[in-house]
Amino acid sequence: MYQSIIDHCYRYVTPTSKDLDFLISKLSKITVSKKKFLLEPGIHIREQYFVIKGCLRAFYVDDKGNHHTIQFAIEDWWVADFDTFYNDLPSKLYLEALEDSTLLAMSYKDMEQLYKEAPIFERYFRILLTGAFNSHRKRILSSLEKDTKDRYLEFCSSYSNIENRIPNYHIANYLGVSAESLSRIRTALKADTSE
Amino acid sequence: MYQSIIDHCYRYVTPTSKDLDFLISKLSKITVSKKKFLLEPGIHIREQYFVIKGCLRAFYVDDKGNHHTIQFAIEDWWVADFDTFYNDLPSKLYLEALEDSTLLAMSYKDMEQLYKEAPIFERYFRILLTGAFNSHRKRILSSLEKDTKDRYLEFCSSYSNIENRIPNYHIANYLGVSAESLSRIRTALKADTSE
DNA sequence: CGCGACGTTGATTTGCCTCAACGATTGTGG
DNA sequence: CCACAATCGTTGAGGCAAATCAACGTCGCG
């Protein structure tokens, strides 16, 4: 149950077993069924989530009603509405389960409490934050320097095997192209590898 | 000399005068002439810079030799190579002065020392980091949901009056379009406002 | 003055979008 | 168990925004 998040912590810091006890005391298990929403605009929940099992999609909806996927979250990913979680701003993010999912939730208050009890997690979350910042920067760079085909391949390698778990059109949306375009790119890739 | 960074601190935290003395003791003044490079790939300098006066451009160069501008920095902006500064990775970033500039430099070691002497700055820099993270997310969203004209207008409002300070083609590069396209967009905007 | 840097404009090409139609697969109710 | 709808991916046709290539105007500086 908690093994995956413990392993995840060890990847970045070296907590004591007491530290880990504090961490676990701040986590509550949540399950979400496929197609249900964990977060929606207007519902102010200051929580972040660690994915034990399943798959989520974080997206915004603009004035014209178009969806824009900003992130997917699969096993071992943290996901949150950063505006709400860190800055206490009104939420504008949708967080939808694409599969039946099991998560661990942590509230902002509990995280602050955890920082006091076990400061090592301040370092843990700061490392995650700089990592997330760098991956955003990489995504901006990709959109500047790569064509859609290369960005699709990059996407597949950063989200292990995800292209077989979620619908094509969600990936297209994340990449900022139409589902039809991505379909053509996939077809061209298959032709390349089979030659 | 230090007034602008002191004001900047007060925008986010409330340091004591002793805190500010510690901060100032960690800063060293640097001047860079126009067209000179403050950072280049392969030169490992773990520093971040606060712009007192002037304008800088941070960019990467890809395999094909194309430039990709990731950030501009004008007065009151912090700028750094995050891979190098936070994660001690080899630098791949160019940091070029677009005008004769005056900066305050702080090394990573000095920042760690500062955190110990005046922990309030840990909060200060964490707020800046989440702010930078959010602005990257906004930029990704803009590229997904807005057309080039709207992204140009958004750019102009986020970098106050910068469109009159730096060449058109640098802005085009930042937006990921050709200089010719941006020129046409600018022409169309002028026509709109004069009608 | 002459050169380089920068912006503008035109012609052509290209990648992608939109609209539309059509399988293939899956789920569901009679 | 079958019929039907819903979901998702694929393919084609037409159009548009922006890239590319090229030429030219203007400004500032050595």
Side-chain angles (χ1 to χ4, degrees):
Chain A
M1 174 70 192
Y2 293 111
Q3 199 53 49
S4 62
I5 191 162
I6 291 171
D7 290 346
H8 194 259
C9 289
Y10 276 122
R11 268 188 241 163
Y12 300 98
V13 293
T14 50
T16 65
S17 63
K18 202 169 180 179
D19 289 333
L20 292 172
D21 288 344
F22 279 125
L23 171 68
I24 288 168
S25 75
K26 302 292 182 290
L27 297 168
S28 48
K29 185 183 154 183
I30 288 187
T31 60
V32 210
S33 325
K34 185 172 175 172
K35 297 194 180 179
K36 294 292 179 194
F37 289 85
L38 198 59
L39 295 177
E40 280 182 78
I43 303 174
H44 197 77
I45 304 177
R46 273 187 100 175
E47 284 184 339
Q48 56 183 350
Y49 307 98
F50 182 83
V51 183
I52 299 276
K53 181 96 200 69
C55 182
L56 305 169
R57 172 174 84 107
F59 65 98
Y60 293 89
V61 176
D62 68 21
D63 313 331
K64 295 165 214 131
N66 299 316
H67 291 206
H68 303 288
T69 301
I70 190 80
Q71 190 196 345
F72 296 102
I74 55 176
E75 288 78 10
D76 287 359
W77 284 63
W78 280 97
V79 63
D81 180 338
F82 273 80
D83 275 336
T84 302
F85 188 75
Y86 278 105
N87 303 331
D88 208 16
L89 296 171
S91 71
K92 291 181 181 168
L93 188 78
Y94 291 85
L95 192 52
E96 177 195 15
L98 298 180
E99 304 172 355
D100 293 344
S101 303
T102 308
L103 315 169
L104 297 172
M106 184 190 288
S107 73
Y108 187 77
K109 271 198 186 317
D110 279 343
M111 188 188 72
E112 283 187 317
Q113 183 65 29
L114 179 66
Y115 283 178
K116 285 177 196 156
E117 295 165 347
I120 187 125
F121 291 110
E122 189 146 11
R123 182 171 163 77
Y124 169 69
F125 283 111
R126 187 166 49 166
I127 291 171
L128 294 186
L129 183 62
T130 60
F133 179 74
N134 279 329
S135 77
H136 271 190
R137 200 200 45 213
K138 268 187 202 158
R139 189 166 165 196
I140 292 169
L141 266 179
S142 289
S143 76
L144 289 175
E145 81 184 52
K146 294 186 177 173
D147 60 21
T148 306
K149 190 186 81 176
D150 286 344
R151 290 196 298 123
Y152 173 66
L153 292 171
E154 188 179 70
F155 171 81
C156 290
S157 65
S158 72
Y159 285 95
S160 158
N161 205 38
I162 203 172
E163 70 274 20
N164 300 315
R165 288 174 72 171
I166 64 181
N168 189 31
Y169 60 85
H170 282 323
I171 301 176
N173 187 263
Y174 176 94
L175 295 173
V177 298
S178 69
E180 294 94 329
S181 290
L182 184 56
S183 172
R184 287 183 241 267
I185 286 163
R186 276 177 143 168
T187 307
L189 280 173
K190 275 179 232 157
D192 271 6
T193 54
S194 66
E195 268 168 16
Chain B
M1 172 71 192
Y2 293 111
Q3 198 53 49
S4 62
I5 191 160
I6 290 171
D7 290 345
H8 195 260
C9 289
Y10 276 122
R11 268 188 242 163
Y12 300 98
V13 292
T14 49
T16 65
S17 63
K18 200 169 181 182
D19 288 333
L20 291 173
D21 288 344
F22 278 125
L23 171 68
I24 289 168
S25 76
K26 302 292 184 291
L27 296 169
S28 47
K29 184 183 157 184
I30 288 186
T31 61
V32 209
S33 325
K34 187 171 175 172
K35 297 195 179 179
K36 294 292 179 192
F37 289 87
L38 199 58
L39 295 177
E40 280 182 78
I43 303 174
H44 196 77
I45 303 178
R46 274 187 99 174
E47 286 184 339
Q48 56 182 350
Y49 306 98
F50 182 84
V51 182
I52 299 276
K53 182 96 200 65
C55 180
L56 306 169
R57 172 174 83 106
F59 66 97
Y60 293 89
V61 176
D62 69 18
D63 312 331
K64 297 166 212 127
N66 299 317
H67 291 207
H68 303 287
T69 301
I70 191 77
Q71 192 198 343
F72 296 102
I74 55 176
E75 288 78 12
D76 287 358
W77 284 64
W78 280 97
V79 61
D81 180 338
F82 272 81
D83 275 336
T84 302
F85 188 75
Y86 278 105
N87 303 329
D88 208 16
L89 295 172
S91 71
K92 291 181 181 168
L93 188 78
Y94 291 85
L95 192 53
E96 177 194 14
L98 300 179
E99 303 172 354
D100 293 344
S101 302
T102 308
L103 315 170
L104 296 173
M106 183 189 288
S107 73
Y108 187 78
K109 270 196 186 318
D110 280 343
M111 187 187 71
E112 283 188 316
Q113 183 66 30
L114 179 65
Y115 283 177
K116 285 178 195 156
E117 295 165 350
I120 188 127
F121 291 111
E122 189 145 13
R123 182 171 164 76
Y124 169 68
F125 282 112
R126 189 166 46 166
I127 290 171
L128 294 186
L129 183 61
T130 61
F133 179 73
N134 280 329
S135 76
H136 271 191
R137 199 200 45 211
K138 267 187 203 157
R139 188 165 165 197
I140 292 169
L141 267 178
S142 289
S143 76
L144 289 174
E145 82 185 52
K146 294 186 177 173
D147 62 20
T148 306
K149 189 186 82 178
D150 286 344
R151 290 196 299 122
Y152 173 67
L153 292 172
E154 188 179 69
F155 170 82
C156 290
S157 64
S158 72
Y159 286 94
S160 157
N161 204 38
I162 202 173
E163 71 272 20
N164 300 316
R165 288 173 71 170
I166 63 181
N168 190 30
Y169 61 85
H170 282 323
I171 300 176
N173 188 262
Y174 176 93
L175 295 173
V177 299
S178 69
E180 293 94 330
S181 289
L182 184 57
S183 172
R184 287 182 241 266
I185 285 164
R186 276 177 141 168
T187 308
L189 280 173
K190 274 179 234 157
D192 271 8
T193 53
S194 67
E195 266 167 21

